[in-house]
Amino acid sequence: MKTFKVLGGGCRNCEVTADLIAQAAKDAGIEIQLEKVTDMAEILGYGVMSTPGVVLDGKVVHAGGIPGPDRVRDWMRG
């Protein structure tokens, strides 16, 4: 199972990013674990300075804006 963390303060872009990830997983028919991280110390611990950030299985794969749908689908396949 893939584990995703959406890093951010709970802004609209963070919510949209989390929704994109959840929908892509549903469309791909795979089960994921999705966590929203709002603690700034934890976010900075990943080295993310611009949110939303996305962590996939412990590795930062995106930061600074809503990821494109193709990129999110790639995360499901990878």
Side-chain angles (χ1 to χ4, degrees):
M1 177 185 326
K2 295 178 185 281
T3 302
F4 287 91
K5 292 184 181 186
V6 175
L7 312 177
C11 67
R12 171 108 174 99
N13 286 349
C14 299
E15 294 297 323
V16 169
T17 298
D19 291 344
L20 280 172
I21 292 168
Q23 186 62 49
K26 182 179 175 185
D27 291 348
I30 65 170
E31 190 175 334
I32 64 166
Q33 179 180 345
L34 179 61
E35 178 185 349
K36 296 176 187 173
V37 177
T38 58
D39 179 67
M40 288 309 291
E42 187 174 350
I43 292 169
L44 292 173
Y46 282 104
V48 171
M49 302 298 282
S50 184
T51 61
V54 178
V55 175
L56 170 56
D57 295 333
K59 180 181 175 194
V60 176
V61 293
H62 179 80
I66 299 170
D70 289 338
R71 188 159 192 203
V72 177
R73 282 190 292 270
D74 285 345
W75 296 335
M76 299 306 148
R77 288 190 285 263

